[in-house]
Protein backbone atom coordinates (compact mmCIF):
# COMPACT_ATOMS: atom_id res chain seq x y z
CA UNK A 1 0.00 0.00 0.00
CA UNK A 2 1.27 3.44 -0.95
CA UNK A 3 1.89 5.97 1.80
CA UNK A 4 3.50 9.39 2.13
CA UNK A 5 4.90 11.53 4.94
CA UNK A 6 2.52 12.22 7.74
CA UNK A 7 1.00 15.73 7.93
CA UNK A 8 -0.38 17.43 11.08
CA UNK A 9 -3.68 15.88 11.91
CA UNK A 10 -6.92 17.87 12.02
CA UNK A 11 -7.77 19.42 15.38
CA UNK A 12 -9.98 17.12 17.42
CA UNK A 13 -10.02 14.57 20.20
CA UNK A 14 -9.48 10.82 20.20
CA UNK A 15 -12.39 8.90 21.75
CA UNK A 16 -12.54 5.08 21.63
CA UNK A 17 -10.12 4.99 18.73
CA UNK A 18 -11.93 7.71 16.75
CA UNK A 19 -10.78 11.27 16.14
CA UNK A 20 -13.53 13.83 16.54
CA UNK A 21 -13.17 17.45 15.30
CA UNK A 22 -13.43 20.55 17.38
CA UNK A 23 -16.83 22.23 17.30
CA UNK A 24 -17.36 24.96 14.76
CA UNK A 25 -19.49 27.52 16.52
CA UNK A 26 -19.33 29.85 13.52
CA UNK A 27 -21.39 27.61 11.29
CA UNK A 28 -24.83 27.04 12.89
CA UNK A 29 -26.92 24.27 11.48
CA UNK A 30 -29.84 25.10 9.26
CA UNK A 31 -32.41 24.23 11.91
CA UNK A 32 -30.85 26.65 14.38
CA UNK A 33 -30.81 29.46 11.83
CA UNK A 34 -34.44 28.84 10.89
CA UNK A 35 -35.45 28.95 14.59
CA UNK A 36 -33.57 32.21 15.01
CA UNK A 37 -35.34 33.69 11.97
CA UNK A 38 -38.75 32.56 13.32
CA UNK A 39 -37.97 34.39 16.58
CA UNK A 40 -37.11 37.51 14.59
CA UNK A 41 -40.42 37.38 12.72
CA UNK A 42 -42.33 37.19 15.99
CA UNK A 43 -40.45 40.21 17.32
CA UNK A 44 -41.26 42.11 14.14
CA UNK A 45 -44.97 41.29 14.48
CA UNK A 46 -44.88 42.78 17.97
CA UNK A 47 -43.12 45.94 16.78
CA UNK A 48 -45.55 46.37 13.90
CA UNK A 49 -48.57 45.92 16.19
CA UNK A 50 -47.22 48.62 18.52
CA UNK A 51 -46.90 50.89 15.51
CA UNK A 52 -50.52 50.21 14.51
CA UNK A 53 -51.76 50.70 18.07
CA UNK A 54 -50.03 54.07 18.32
CA UNK A 55 -51.60 55.21 15.06
CA UNK A 56 -55.06 54.07 16.20
CA UNK A 57 -54.67 55.96 19.48
CA UNK A 58 -53.73 59.13 17.61
CA UNK A 59 -56.81 58.81 15.36
CA UNK A 60 -59.17 58.20 18.30
CA UNK A 61 -57.74 61.13 20.25
CA UNK A 62 -58.11 63.31 17.17
CA UNK A 63 -61.82 62.41 16.94
CA UNK A 64 -62.33 63.12 20.63
CA UNK A 65 -60.62 66.53 20.35
CA UNK A 66 -62.63 67.57 17.28
CA UNK A 67 -64.70 70.64 18.27
CA UNK A 68 -68.44 70.31 17.98
CA UNK A 69 -70.36 72.72 15.80
CA UNK A 70 -73.29 72.37 18.18
CA UNK A 71 -73.96 75.18 20.66
CA UNK A 72 -76.68 74.53 23.20
CA UNK A 73 -79.15 77.16 24.36
CA UNK A 74 -81.81 77.03 27.04
CA UNK A 75 -84.45 77.37 24.34
CA UNK A 76 -83.24 74.49 22.16
CA UNK A 77 -83.25 71.65 24.69
CA UNK A 78 -84.93 69.18 22.33
CA UNK A 79 -82.61 69.99 19.39
CA UNK A 80 -79.64 69.81 21.73
CA UNK A 81 -80.54 66.29 22.80
CA UNK A 82 -80.86 65.17 19.19
CA UNK A 83 -77.55 66.69 18.14
CA UNK A 84 -75.77 65.28 21.19
CA UNK A 85 -77.11 61.85 20.35
CA UNK A 86 -75.83 62.19 16.78
CA UNK A 87 -72.43 63.36 17.97
CA UNK A 88 -72.15 60.44 20.39
CA UNK A 89 -73.13 58.01 17.64
CA UNK A 90 -70.54 59.55 15.33
CA UNK A 91 -67.81 59.05 17.92
CA UNK A 92 -68.90 55.49 18.57
CA UNK A 93 -68.72 54.78 14.83
CA UNK A 94 -65.16 56.16 14.69
CA UNK A 95 -64.06 53.98 17.61
CA UNK A 96 -65.75 50.92 16.11
CA UNK A 97 -64.04 51.57 12.79
CA UNK A 98 -60.64 51.61 14.44
CA UNK A 99 -61.40 48.43 16.39
CA UNK A 100 -62.41 46.74 13.14
CA UNK A 101 -59.17 47.93 11.54
CA UNK A 102 -57.23 46.40 14.44
CA UNK A 103 -58.98 43.04 14.04
CA UNK A 104 -58.35 42.98 10.29
CA UNK A 105 -54.70 43.93 10.66
CA UNK A 106 -54.14 41.22 13.26
CA UNK A 107 -55.42 38.63 10.79
CA UNK A 108 -52.99 39.54 8.06
CA UNK A 109 -49.50 38.08 7.66
CA UNK A 110 -46.96 40.72 8.62
CA UNK A 111 -43.90 40.49 6.34
CA UNK A 112 -41.49 42.04 8.78
CA UNK A 113 -38.48 40.65 10.58
CA UNK A 114 -36.17 41.89 13.29
CA UNK A 115 -32.48 41.60 14.13
CA UNK A 116 -30.92 39.44 16.83
CA UNK A 117 -31.31 42.32 19.32
CA UNK A 118 -34.55 42.68 21.28
CA UNK A 119 -36.62 45.80 20.41
CA UNK A 120 -35.94 48.78 22.65
CA UNK A 121 -38.27 51.35 24.22
CA UNK A 122 -37.86 53.83 21.36
CA UNK A 123 -40.25 51.70 19.31
CA UNK A 124 -43.17 53.46 21.01
CA UNK A 125 -42.60 56.11 18.35
CA UNK A 126 -44.34 54.84 15.17
CA UNK A 127 -41.62 56.24 12.91
CA UNK A 128 -38.90 54.59 14.99
CA UNK A 129 -40.80 51.29 15.01
CA UNK A 130 -41.16 51.33 11.23
CA UNK A 131 -37.45 51.99 10.72
CA UNK A 132 -36.57 49.23 13.19
CA UNK A 133 -38.78 46.70 11.43
CA UNK A 134 -37.28 47.57 8.04
CA UNK A 135 -33.75 47.18 9.40
CA UNK A 136 -34.54 43.85 10.97
CA UNK A 137 -36.26 42.67 7.81
CA UNK A 138 -32.97 43.15 5.98
CA UNK A 139 -31.13 41.22 8.69
CA UNK A 140 -33.50 38.25 8.51
CA UNK A 141 -33.38 38.20 4.71
CA UNK A 142 -29.59 38.05 4.91
CA UNK A 143 -29.84 35.08 7.29
CA UNK A 144 -32.23 33.33 4.94
CA UNK A 145 -29.85 33.91 2.05
CA UNK A 146 -26.94 32.48 4.03
CA UNK A 147 -29.00 29.43 5.02
CA UNK A 148 -30.04 28.81 1.42
CA UNK A 149 -26.43 29.06 0.24
CA UNK A 150 -25.29 26.65 2.95
CA UNK A 151 -27.99 24.16 2.01
CA UNK A 152 -26.99 24.36 -1.64
CA UNK A 153 -23.36 23.59 -0.73
CA UNK A 154 -24.46 20.62 1.35
CA UNK A 155 -26.62 19.26 -1.46
CA UNK A 156 -23.77 19.68 -3.95
CA UNK A 157 -21.36 17.83 -1.64
CA UNK A 158 -23.88 15.01 -1.17
CA UNK A 159 -24.23 14.66 -4.94
CA UNK A 160 -20.44 14.29 -5.31
CA UNK A 161 -20.38 11.70 -2.53
CA UNK A 162 -23.05 9.64 -4.31
CA UNK A 163 -20.90 9.59 -7.43
CA UNK A 164 -17.90 8.39 -5.42
CA UNK A 165 -19.95 5.60 -3.83
CA UNK A 166 -21.38 4.52 -7.17
CA UNK A 167 -17.87 4.25 -8.63
CA UNK A 168 -16.54 2.27 -5.65
CA UNK A 169 -19.46 -0.14 -5.80
CA UNK A 170 -18.81 -0.74 -9.51
CA UNK A 171 -15.28 -1.94 -8.63
CA UNK A 172 -16.46 -4.71 -6.30
CA UNK A 173 -14.89 -8.01 -7.35
CA UNK A 174 -11.70 -6.55 -8.83
CA UNK A 175 -8.43 -7.88 -7.36
CA UNK A 176 -6.23 -6.17 -4.80
CA UNK A 177 -2.81 -5.30 -6.20
CA UNK A 178 -0.21 -3.30 -4.25
CA UNK A 179 0.25 0.15 -5.80
CA UNK A 180 -2.69 -0.23 -8.22
CA UNK A 181 -5.15 2.59 -8.78
CA UNK A 182 -7.37 1.02 -11.46
CA UNK A 183 -9.00 0.43 -13.66
CA UNK A 184 -8.48 -3.34 -13.46
CA UNK A 185 -7.14 -3.62 -9.90
CA UNK A 186 -6.65 -1.50 -6.78
CA UNK A 187 -5.02 -1.16 -3.42
CA UNK A 188 -6.96 0.55 -0.64
CA UNK A 189 -5.83 4.15 -1.19
CA UNK A 190 -5.91 3.66 -4.96
CA UNK A 191 -9.61 2.74 -4.74
CA UNK A 192 -10.43 5.74 -2.53
CA UNK A 193 -8.55 8.10 -4.83
CA UNK A 194 -10.20 6.72 -7.98
CA UNK A 195 -13.68 6.85 -6.44
CA UNK A 196 -13.42 10.53 -5.59
CA UNK A 197 -11.68 11.33 -8.86
CA UNK A 198 -14.81 10.02 -10.58
CA UNK A 199 -16.72 12.69 -8.64
CA UNK A 200 -14.28 15.40 -9.73
CA UNK A 201 -12.37 15.63 -6.43
CA UNK A 202 -8.61 15.09 -6.36
CA UNK A 203 -7.20 13.22 -3.35
CA UNK A 204 -3.57 12.47 -2.44
CA UNK A 205 -2.32 8.99 -3.27
CA UNK A 206 -1.27 7.71 0.17
CA UNK A 207 -3.55 6.89 3.10
CA UNK A 208 -1.69 9.18 5.53
CA UNK A 209 -2.18 12.19 3.27
CA UNK A 210 -5.77 11.21 2.50
CA UNK A 211 -6.52 11.15 6.24
CA UNK A 212 -5.60 14.86 6.34
CA UNK A 213 -7.34 15.85 3.12
CA UNK A 214 -10.76 16.69 4.49
CA UNK A 215 -12.88 17.32 7.57
CA UNK A 216 -12.54 14.80 10.39
CA UNK A 217 -15.90 13.70 11.82
CA UNK A 218 -17.16 11.06 14.22
CA UNK A 219 -18.15 7.61 13.02
CA UNK A 220 -21.67 8.26 14.31
CA UNK A 221 -21.94 11.18 11.84
CA UNK A 222 -20.48 9.31 8.86
CA UNK A 223 -22.31 9.70 5.55
CA UNK A 224 -21.97 7.85 2.24
CA UNK A 225 -18.74 8.85 0.50
CA UNK A 226 -16.77 9.53 3.69
CA UNK A 227 -13.42 7.78 4.02
CA UNK A 228 -12.91 5.45 6.98
CA UNK A 229 -9.30 4.95 8.11
CA UNK A 230 -8.13 1.95 10.08
CA UNK A 231 -5.24 1.13 12.44
CA UNK A 232 -3.19 3.55 14.52
CA UNK A 233 -1.16 4.67 11.53
CA UNK A 234 -4.16 5.12 9.17
CA UNK A 235 -2.57 2.53 6.92
CA UNK A 236 -5.87 1.27 5.51
CA UNK A 237 -8.84 3.13 4.06
CA UNK A 238 -12.30 2.28 2.77
CA UNK A 239 -15.20 4.21 1.24
CA UNK A 240 -18.19 4.40 3.57
CA UNK A 241 -21.46 3.61 1.77
CA UNK A 242 -24.01 3.95 4.59
CA UNK A 243 -25.78 1.54 6.94
CA UNK A 244 -22.50 0.69 8.67
CA UNK A 245 -20.93 -0.68 5.48
CA UNK A 246 -17.66 0.11 3.73
CA UNK A 247 -16.22 -0.78 0.30
CA UNK A 248 -12.47 -1.42 0.33
CA UNK A 249 -9.58 -3.33 -1.15
CA UNK A 250 -8.33 -5.13 1.93
CA UNK A 251 -5.07 -6.98 1.20
CA UNK A 252 -3.20 -9.09 -1.38
CA UNK A 253 -5.08 -12.20 -2.37
CA UNK A 254 -8.50 -10.59 -1.87
CA UNK A 255 -10.89 -8.64 -4.05
CA UNK A 256 -12.62 -5.28 -3.65
CA UNK A 257 -15.61 -5.99 -1.44
CA UNK A 258 -18.39 -4.43 0.62
CA UNK A 259 -18.61 -5.39 4.27
CA UNK A 260 -19.24 -4.07 7.77
CA UNK A 261 -17.13 -1.13 8.87
CA UNK A 262 -16.51 -3.21 12.04
CA UNK A 263 -15.05 -6.13 10.07
CA UNK A 264 -11.88 -6.01 12.20
CA UNK A 265 -13.44 -4.80 15.43
CA UNK A 266 -14.14 -1.32 16.74
CA UNK A 267 -10.59 -0.85 17.97
CA UNK A 268 -9.07 -0.84 14.48
CA UNK A 269 -11.14 2.18 13.32
CA UNK A 270 -8.91 5.24 13.49
CA UNK A 271 -10.88 8.14 12.01
CA UNK A 272 -13.48 9.24 9.48
CA UNK A 273 -12.78 12.02 6.96
CA UNK A 274 -15.19 13.85 4.64
CA UNK A 275 -13.32 14.90 1.45
CA UNK A 276 -16.01 17.18 -0.04
Amino acid sequence: MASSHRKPRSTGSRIAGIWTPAADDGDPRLGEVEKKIDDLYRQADSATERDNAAKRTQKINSVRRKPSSFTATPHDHYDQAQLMSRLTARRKDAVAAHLTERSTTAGKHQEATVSLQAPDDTQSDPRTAKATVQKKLSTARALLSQSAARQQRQEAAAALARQAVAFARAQVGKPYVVGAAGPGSYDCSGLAQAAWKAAGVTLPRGTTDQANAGTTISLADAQPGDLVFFHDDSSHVGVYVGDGMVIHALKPGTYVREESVHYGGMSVIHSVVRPA
Side-chain angles (χ1 to χ4, degrees):
M1 292 174 284
S3 178
S4 59
H5 294 293
R6 185 182 302 272
K7 292 184 178 180
R9 194 168 301 282
S10 303
T11 301
S13 59
R14 182 77 178 276
I15 301 176
I18 299 177
W19 282 93
T20 58
D24 183 5
D25 294 334
D27 185 22
R29 294 186 177 181
L30 179 59
E32 296 173 347
V33 173
E34 290 178 343
K35 180 180 181 301
K36 186 177 296 182
I37 291 173
D38 288 341
D39 292 340
L40 300 183
Y41 271 99
R42 284 192 292 272
Q43 292 180 35
D45 287 339
S46 177
T48 302
E49 180 57 29
R50 284 196 297 273
D51 185 10
N52 292 336
K55 292 178 180 179
R56 287 193 297 271
T57 300
Q58 291 176 354
K59 290 181 180 179
I60 293 174
N61 290 338
S62 175
V63 171
R64 288 175 176 172
R65 290 194 298 267
K66 185 176 181 180
S68 173
S69 60
F70 170 73
T71 303
T73 67
H75 304 291
D76 297 323
H77 178 74
Y78 179 76
D79 290 340
Q80 179 181 7
Q82 279 193 324
L83 290 175
M84 183 63 70
S85 176
R86 292 175 183 173
L87 179 59
T88 300
R90 187 180 306 119
R91 288 177 175 173
K92 287 182 178 180
D93 290 343
V95 172
H98 288 294
L99 291 176
T100 300
E101 177 186 352
R102 177 181 180 180
S103 177
T104 302
T105 303
K108 294 181 180 179
H109 173 68
Q110 301 293 326
E111 187 182 358
T113 58
V114 294
S115 68
L116 302 181
Q117 303 297 327
D120 53 36
D121 294 339
T122 61
Q123 290 181 351
S124 58
D125 181 352
R127 290 176 296 180
T128 301
K130 181 177 180 180
T132 300
V133 169
Q134 290 176 340
K135 179 180 179 180
K136 293 179 178 181
L137 173 60
S138 298
T139 300
R141 282 175 174 166
L143 284 175
L144 286 171
S145 178
Q146 293 171 5
S147 298
R150 183 179 298 108
Q151 185 173 7
Q152 289 176 352
R153 290 194 298 270
Q154 292 173 346
E155 291 174 352
L160 295 179
R162 286 193 295 270
Q163 294 179 43
V165 169
F167 180 91
R169 184 164 280 128
Q171 312 314 306
V172 170
K174 294 183 178 181
Y176 177 102
V177 174
V178 175
S185 59
Y186 298 90
D187 64 9
C188 66
S189 59
L191 176 63
Q193 183 187 50
W196 275 98
K197 182 179 180 180
V201 177
T202 300
L203 293 180
R205 180 63 179 87
T207 57
T208 302
D209 288 337
Q210 288 178 356
N212 292 287
T215 302
T216 303
I217 61 174
S218 67
L219 181 60
D221 293 329
Q223 296 180 2
D226 292 343
L227 300 181
V228 182
F229 293 88
F230 301 86
H231 309 302
D232 289 340
D233 57 357
S234 301
S235 58
H236 182 62
V237 63
V239 180
Y240 188 73
V241 296
D243 298 324
M245 304 295 286
V246 65
I247 294 177
H248 61 159
L250 183 58
K251 59 184 178 180
T254 64
Y255 298 86
V256 175
R257 62 192 184 191
E258 180 175 341
E259 62 182 336
S260 170
V261 71
H262 301 297
Y263 74 94
M266 185 70 181
S267 61
V268 303
I269 299 176
H270 179 269
S271 60
V272 181
V273 170
R274 183 163 299 159

